[in-house]
Amino acid sequence: MRFELSRGSLDHFAQTVSEAASPGKQGWIGLYPVKYLEGSREGFGFMVEDAGFFGSYGFAWSPNGVPDIDAPGSYRRYDGPWYVWSDD
């Protein structure tokens, strides 16, 4: 539900990233507090502050398939170009 409530902000941020070279520093994207952000014009991912007990979790956006982000982790398609990103 939090994802859907944040969808407008997430999609707007994704559009901004796709038009600029750097995603910049973010404190929040929608209802998600951002702990770590990595990305480029091809896509980006962010870890959510205090998400997960044993690992970190977040979301990645990549319109051209599985994200190619220079950060460790695994990706599972969630909705459209959005993926769930975990650092397991």
Side-chain angles (χ1 to χ4, degrees), residues 11-60:
D11 288 341
H12 177 73
F13 187 75
Q15 180 180 358
T16 301
V17 168
S18 70
E19 295 171 354
S22 171
K25 182 175 170 46
Q26 288 290 316
W28 289 80
I29 302 175
L31 299 174
Y32 293 103
V34 176
K35 176 169 97 174
Y36 171 80
L37 178 66
E38 179 73 39
S40 69
R41 288 179 185 223
E42 307 302 317
F44 73 92
F46 68 94
M47 291 295 179
V48 175
E49 186 76 38
D50 296 327
F53 189 68
F54 292 109
S56 295
Y57 296 90
F59 293 99

